[in-house]
Amino acid sequence: MSIDPYKALGLTKSATADEIKKAYRKLVRTSHPDLHPDDAGAEARFKAISAAYDLLKDPETRARFDTGEIDATGAERPQRQYYRDFAESTGSPYQQGRGFDAQGDPADIFAEILRQRTRGGSYGSQRDQGGYSVPGHDVKYALEVPFLDAARGGEMHITLPDGSSISVKIPQGARDGQTLRLRGKGGPGYGGGSAGDALIALTVSPHPVFRRENDDILLTLPITIDEAVLGGKVVTPTIDGPVTLSIPKGANSGRILRMRGRGVARAGGKAAGDQLVELRIVAPPSIDDALRDFLNEWRETHAYDPRVDLLNEALS
């Protein structure tokens, strides 16, 4: 089951936007897998709090969750409608509703038709014409989407039980847990009624290089010792292809460089997020004599302890 986003962030429904942002930032520092590589549960916690923040930071999606229109994953919650619900309505039950749920008893549908036929009323005109139409039910599907297709948009196909297929357009910036609605691609209607819809629940596959946080792309970039000390330009992957990134002189592992506009762009013209590049200094696979001699000499003449402040703060 999905974790309630408020509980995931340690908040209540009365939390303000600022409180949501502060809670998220605090939890990221204690749960990011790159900052806690020895914590087996860090990745799961990080995913949960990221999903919760992604839902609650947007006032529109937060409001829809609070009113029960969507669940904690952002998926829509179609209302189930049965014949007894329609019996209490004052207008035409089949014309007002979306149709019967896929899990409803088909006998209920025909029982309601017969009941309306006996009572007359809102279906009088259809009875006079000798026909009764009922919209088809919505059908749910699950679709796993590659990471880059979700970020950049694309097109995929779902094979139906009868062997046919339907095309699904993946919108740019699609999120894990998002539900797409394809009008008229669900179950067939009765008596000439319109077909239901297909509800496509998306699951975004993880990527071996990129990670996503809201609309930002996260990347850990290995650099050499000389690139860290001297700086330089290195080729860096992005979701739209490799680009050149300038490494500043004296860069340390853990430093984060921001590549503006290199993140995820949502459909509808919303500005793209950024790509955050975390630097990680990697020693050469083998240490030759020249490098070893140089470092030994450098240690003797330029020795310093980068842990002095850390130890002092730990004891204060």
Side-chain angles (χ1 to χ4, degrees):
M1 296 180 62
S2 301
I3 301 176
D4 182 279
Y6 291 103
K7 292 182 179 179
L9 297 178
L11 302 170
T12 64
K13 285 190 175 183
S14 62
T16 65
D18 287 340
E19 289 172 338
I20 291 173
K21 183 182 294 185
K22 290 179 181 178
Y24 170 71
R25 290 178 175 176
K26 180 179 179 181
L27 290 171
V28 165
R29 291 194 295 269
T30 61
S31 301
H32 198 292
D34 290 343
L35 300 178
H36 303 276
D38 297 328
D39 186 345
E43 183 175 0
R45 294 198 309 274
F46 179 70
K47 288 182 178 180
I49 63 176
S50 294
Y53 180 65
D54 193 29
L55 188 144
L56 296 181
K57 73 182 181 68
D58 187 325
E60 181 179 349
T61 56
R62 180 183 180 183
R64 294 188 67 200
F65 172 77
D66 289 345
T67 56
E69 294 182 31
I70 58 175
D71 61 20
T73 68
E76 294 187 30
R77 287 174 167 167
Q79 293 185 349
R80 295 183 176 181
Q81 298 175 319
Y82 300 94
Y83 78 93
R84 52 188 164 276
D85 299 321
F86 297 121
E88 298 173 357
S89 64
T90 58
S92 174
Y94 300 116
Q95 293 174 348
Q96 291 179 359
R98 178 66 210 107
F100 289 92
D101 186 89
Q103 299 179 12
D105 186 349
D108 290 347
I109 300 175
F110 298 107
E112 175 63 10
I113 292 174
L114 293 174
R115 188 174 66 83
Q116 291 288 343
R117 185 172 184 176
T118 301
R119 292 173 56 187
S122 61
Y123 273 88
S125 60
Q126 292 187 9
R127 182 185 61 187
D128 295 340
Q129 299 171 8
Y132 297 86
S133 64
V134 181
H137 59 257
D138 295 339
V139 180
K140 298 179 181 179
Y141 298 95
L143 180 63
E144 185 171 2
V145 182
F147 184 94
L148 293 179
D149 285 345
R152 300 182 303 203
E155 185 174 347
M156 300 183 68
H157 293 82
I158 291 179
T159 301
L160 304 181
D162 62 2
S164 61
S165 66
I166 55 176
S167 176
V168 181
K169 184 177 181 181
I170 308 301
Q172 188 178 32
R175 303 184 306 275
D176 188 75
Q178 182 176 350
T179 298
L180 307 180
R181 181 183 291 272
L182 303 184
R183 300 288 182 184
K185 299 297 184 180
Y190 296 89
S194 60
D197 299 336
L199 304 178
I200 317 296
L202 305 182
T203 300
V204 179
S205 304
H207 194 276
V209 172
F210 302 113
R211 305 182 303 279
R212 181 175 173 181
E213 182 178 308
N214 301 321
D215 290 339
D216 292 338
I217 294 294
L218 311 181
L219 169 73
T220 300
L221 181 69
I223 60 174
T224 63
I225 296 175
D226 59 291
E227 289 169 341
V229 175
L230 304 176
K233 296 183 180 295
V234 300
V235 176
T236 304
T238 73
I239 59 174
D240 295 315
V243 298
T244 300
L245 175 67
S246 296
I247 307 298
K249 295 180 180 179
N252 292 314
S253 285
R255 180 169 181 175
I256 296 178
L257 305 180
R258 183 181 295 271
M259 304 176 71
R260 297 198 178 276
R262 292 290 182 177
V264 177
R266 296 285 188 89
K270 183 179 179 180
D274 303 329
Q275 177 162 301
L276 305 180
V277 180
E278 182 181 5
L279 303 180
R280 179 165 60 91
I281 300 173
V282 179
S286 61
I287 308 298
D288 58 23
D289 293 341
L291 179 59
R292 182 171 55 252
D293 294 342
F294 168 77
L295 291 177
N296 281 330
E297 180 181 352
W298 188 90
R299 177 183 289 177
E300 292 177 1
T301 57
H302 299 79
Y304 77 103
D305 188 351
R307 295 170 292 279
V308 172
D309 291 340
L310 176 68
L311 293 174
N312 290 336
E313 291 176 0
L315 297 175
S316 62

